[in-house]
Amino acid sequence: MIRRLVVAFALLLNLAAPALSKPRNWVGVVSATPQGGYLIGNPKAPVKVIEYFSLTCPHCRHFAETGIAPLKANYIANGRVSLELRNLILNAPDLTASLLMRCTQPAKAAQLYDQIYAEQEAVFGGTYHLSSDAVARIEAAPDTQKPAVLAREGGIDKWFIAKGLAPKAVSACLADPKAQDRLLAIRNDAVKNYDVQGTPSFIVNGKRIDGVTWEDLEPALKAAGS
């Protein structure tokens, strides 16, 4: 009888004890920020990184290819560091692709960031070989309609549609003047508050660091206590 009571009591203890859970992996957590960026990771991370990037920038592509993976695996996953992606528009193709990258949910936008750099030539290659007639059509379009005409003439819209964006959404986002103004505001904020002059530029806990590579950024993360 006593043995039965002991066994029953042990079973009750096991049922009452909380199951051990694995530490949360923050890499898949993406949210939009009031500043117009996309934050990957723990919103309460003690070390906050902002990357100002241009989708047409070769140095940004190099960072995406060499720095994003170790940043996510070694710093973002454990919740100690967050990365906020903010567009810094440099040219018309960049504006056009950025409007479409942002034409979706935050997690998809972060995914498109990776995909665009992996296929940068496919995204923008058509814009490098525009005919004189195509250039004339782009120049003749009203300013708010130029992204849509450039996307059509250069094939940028087709790339995004192939990645899952609906054609109607593509057309609407390219013609949205508020979205265009938002991108301009992000750029102005970068110049005003952080003296950003090029891409990529990294801000670690409110301070811009020198350098454009992972080898430049990682020491700043360690110094910030990540």
Side-chain angles (χ1 to χ4, degrees), residues 10-131:
L11 288 172
L12 286 173
L13 286 177
N14 287 334
L15 289 173
L20 293 177
S21 59
K22 294 181 180 180
R24 182 171 188 176
N25 185 335
W26 288 94
V27 168
V29 178
V30 185
S31 55
T33 70
Q35 294 76 21
Y38 297 101
L39 189 140
I40 302 172
N42 179 7
K44 296 182 179 180
V47 179
K48 302 182 185 299
V49 179
I50 301 170
E51 181 198 356
Y52 283 101
F53 67 93
S54 163
L55 293 175
T56 57
C57 164
H59 296 296
C60 300
R61 181 185 65 220
H62 178 73
F63 176 76
E65 292 173 344
T66 61
I68 288 293
L71 175 57
K72 287 181 176 180
N74 301 330
Y75 295 93
I76 294 177
N78 62 21
R80 296 289 298 169
V81 174
S82 64
L83 171 65
E84 184 179 348
L85 304 172
R86 294 187 191 176
N87 300 81
L88 190 82
I89 301 303
L90 297 184
N91 49 56
D94 185 18
L95 171 63
T96 301
S98 295
L99 288 168
L100 295 179
M101 172 191 157
R102 299 166 62 86
C103 187
T104 185
Q105 298 301 312
K108 178 65 174 177
Q111 183 184 44
L112 286 169
Y113 165 97
D114 294 328
Q115 293 174 332
I116 290 167
Y117 286 125
E119 302 179 34
Q120 201 176 53
E121 179 64 30
V123 180
F124 299 108
T127 67
Y128 303 149
H129 307 289
L130 294 171
S131 67

